[in-house]
Amino acid sequence: LENGQMMEAESVLENVVMIERRVLEKDDPSLAAALHSLGYCYLRQSRLDETTGMLKECLEIRKKKLSASDLLLADTMHLVGRCLMEQQKYNDSEHVLRDTLRMRTAAVLPHHEDIAQSQFTLSQCLRRQSKLAEAVELATACLGSYKQSLPYLHFHVASGVFVLVFVCACVKVSH
């Protein structure tokens, strides 16, 4: 979303959350979905404290209402991991992102775009901790997942190109 669209989306989502808090039960899955979306919107704007609040509340609801292997729970955990990484809490981020990758790997077909997304985000976290060998391994696996998913999914080719550049940067740094 462009900056103007992000502000508009934020306004709409804040209103949705406010209304849903008034009319729904505090652990309603619809409220969790709105909190997740608003948390994502805040994360895109680097409003990390607000992101943390929205995602924490969303996780509490989803953990009560969903099975431990539900992909909606994994999606929220992925955003939590990204937020922690942006807050430079790399060990916590790595832990959450590894759990997310395990959940997604167990729930979807190999080379699914969700797995590639988890591999890439975890590789970014590892790179920031100078764990370059594992970062390159994960980024390479991510590229393979994106390549395998091409015939089946509509995904952004730019993501695959970005991953390739990331792998090359890690290799260059490690030598």
Side-chain angles (χ1 to χ4, degrees), residues 85-137:
M85 184 170 47
E86 292 305 315
Q87 293 170 323
Q88 300 181 354
K89 298 177 181 176
Y90 299 123
N91 288 332
D92 293 339
S93 175
E94 179 182 346
H95 178 73
V96 170
L97 292 171
R98 285 186 189 282
D99 285 348
T100 303
L101 178 58
R102 276 192 288 277
M103 288 173 69
R104 286 177 166 175
T105 300
V108 297
L109 295 172
H111 305 298
H112 189 277
E113 186 176 17
D114 285 353
I115 293 172
Q117 180 189 50
S118 287
Q119 290 167 328
F120 179 69
T121 306
L122 179 55
S123 71
Q124 287 179 310
C125 181
L126 293 169
R127 181 185 57 83
R128 291 180 184 186
Q129 298 176 78
S130 298
K131 298 178 180 180
L132 299 179
E134 189 178 3
V136 168
E137 183 180 320

Side-chain angles (χ1 to χ4, degrees), residues 5-19:
Q5 292 173 316
M6 188 64 68
M7 299 291 282
E8 185 177 336
E10 176 187 331
S11 176
V12 169
L13 288 167
E14 285 174 341
N15 285 328
V16 168
V17 167
M18 182 181 65
I19 291 166

Side-chain angles (χ1 to χ4, degrees), residues 141-154:
C142 169
L143 186 59
S145 293
Y146 273 140
K147 184 178 175 184
Q148 290 293 321
S149 68
L150 268 175
Y152 310 106
L153 296 172
H154 301 288

Side-chain angles (χ1 to χ4, degrees), residues 3 14 30 38 54 65 69 71-72 89-90 117 126 131 141 153 165-166:
N3 208 19
E14 285 174 341
S30 293
L38 184 55
M54 292 296 116
K65 296 291 186 174
S69 62
L71 288 175
L72 290 174
K89 298 177 181 176
Y90 299 123
Q117 180 189 50
L126 293 169
K131 298 178 180 180
L153 296 172
V165 170
F166 176 77

Side-chain angles (χ1 to χ4, degrees), residues 22-35:
R22 284 189 204 151
V23 299
L24 299 175
E25 297 292 322
K26 66 179 181 177
D27 60 353
D28 191 286
S30 293
L31 176 58
L35 292 165

